[in-house]
Amino acid sequence: MENEIKAVVTVLGQDAVGIIAHVSAVLADNGANIRDIAQTVLSGMFNMMMIVDVPEQAFGTLDDALEQLGVELGLQIRMQRSEIFDAMHRI
């Protein structure tokens, strides 16, 4: 079995139909598995956080694909390894 990386995906921008579908499709196309997801819309602003398992060899390709999707949809989409995210947000 291939090594996997636990990653955090964040999405922020104006709410629109299909954001979750587009992001999920890119994840699936790159072999990622969504472990947890939370999203909210506040005053028309969409915010989503996902915990995903990503095949190690697909991490860079998926990161690029999500960044490109963000450009296409006018959203900020970021993916980072969970250990980096945890270290940045540790009190």
Side-chain angles (χ1 to χ4, degrees):
M1 186 169 165
E2 188 174 359
N3 289 338
E4 292 185 336
I5 296 170
K6 184 176 172 184
V8 178
V9 176
T10 57
V11 181
L12 178 64
Q14 281 296 123
D15 188 31
V17 173
I19 294 173
I20 296 172
H22 286 295
V23 174
S24 297
V26 170
L27 291 168
D29 289 346
N30 286 276
N33 184 41
I34 299 170
R35 291 294 185 170
D36 201 359
I37 181 173
Q39 64 90 30
T40 189
V41 178
L42 183 62
S43 297
M45 291 299 294
F46 179 87
N47 183 28
M48 179 169 65
M49 179 183 223
M50 305 169 105
I51 306 298
V52 299
D53 290 332
V54 180
E56 189 169 12
Q57 68 186 36
F59 189 88
T61 302
L62 177 56
D63 190 34
D64 292 343
L66 288 171
E67 186 174 334
Q68 180 59 38
L69 178 64
V71 170
E72 292 169 12
L73 299 179
L75 302 167
Q76 293 178 12
I77 303 178
R78 303 288 180 260
M79 182 174 70
Q80 58 191 153
R81 294 172 182 262
S82 65
E83 63 267 17
I84 294 171
F85 185 87
D86 292 343
M88 288 173 47
H89 296 89
R90 191 170 294 139
I91 297 177

